[in-house]
C-alpha cells in the first residue's frame, strides 16, 4: 500500500478488520502498509487482541483491508462506524474507534 497520495503528497490511510474464528473482530486504521503494521500479530503486544492472536494463531485469523486511500479523518470515521455497528460483545475495540481506539477485555 502506498501511503502517499499521488495528487498532493499527503498520507493516505486504510481501514482494516481482523476476524477471529469465534467471530470476534478488531477494526483498525493505519497509514503504514497493513502487513507492516500488523507484524504477523506482534503489532498488538500487550492488548486483548494479542491474546486472541496467541489463542487462535495469526494464520487462523482473517485479515481484510476494508478500504484504502482515505484521509485520516475519513478513515477514523469509517472505523468508528464499523465498531459501532458491531455488537460490543463481539468487538475487541471500544466504541471510540479510529486513532483513539482503546482495546477492551473480552471473555
Amino acid at each position: 500500500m502506498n501511503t502517499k497520495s499521488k495528487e498532493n503528497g499527503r498520507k493516505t490511510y486504510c481501514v482494516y478488520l481482523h476476524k477471529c474464528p469465534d467471530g470476534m473482530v478488531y477494526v483498525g486504521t493505519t497509514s503504514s502498509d497493513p502487513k507492516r503494521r500488523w507484524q504477523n500479530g506482534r503489532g498488538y503486544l500487550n492488548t486483548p487482541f494479542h491474546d486472541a492472536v496467541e489463542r487462535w494463531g495469526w494464520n487462523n485469523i482473517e485479515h481484510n483491508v476494508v478500504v484504502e486511500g482515505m484521509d485520516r479523518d475519513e478513515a477514523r470515521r469509517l472505523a468508528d462506524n464499523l465498531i459501532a455497528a458491531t455488537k460490543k460483545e463481539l468487538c475487541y475495540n471500544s466504541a471510540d474507534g479510529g486513532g483513539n481506539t482503546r482495546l477492551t477485555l473480552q471473555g
Side-chain angles (χ1 to χ4, degrees):
M1 180 182 140
N2 182 359
T3 62
K4 296 279 186 184
S5 167
K6 292 179 181 170
E7 296 84 39
N8 59 21
R10 297 173 82 175
K11 277 188 179 181
T12 60
Y13 289 74
C14 75
V15 177
Y16 59 86
L17 184 141
H18 300 300
K19 185 175 181 184
C20 296
D22 64 354
M24 295 281 293
V25 300
Y26 174 78
V27 178
T29 65
T30 187
S31 63
S32 300
D33 177 85
K35 288 183 180 182
R36 181 178 297 169
R37 161 63 183 96
W38 304 337
Q39 300 176 39
N40 292 322
R42 293 182 307 277
Y44 302 97
L45 291 175
N46 302 313
T47 68
F49 181 65
H50 186 262
D51 294 342
V53 171
E54 291 291 312
R55 177 180 181 190
W56 299 108
W58 184 250
N59 292 330
N60 295 313
I61 298 172
E62 293 177 35
H63 313 286
N64 300 295
V65 174
V66 178
V67 67
E68 295 178 309
M70 303 180 94
D71 70 32
R72 183 179 65 182
D73 292 336
E74 291 172 322
R76 287 181 177 177
R77 277 192 299 275
L78 178 58
D80 288 346
N81 290 336
L82 289 171
I83 293 165
T86 304
K87 291 182 181 180
K88 188 171 182 157
E89 64 271 11
L90 294 177
C91 193
Y92 286 103
N93 304 83
S94 72
D96 292 313
N100 298 316
T101 301
R102 294 188 313 268
L103 293 170
T104 57
L105 290 173
Q106 298 294 325

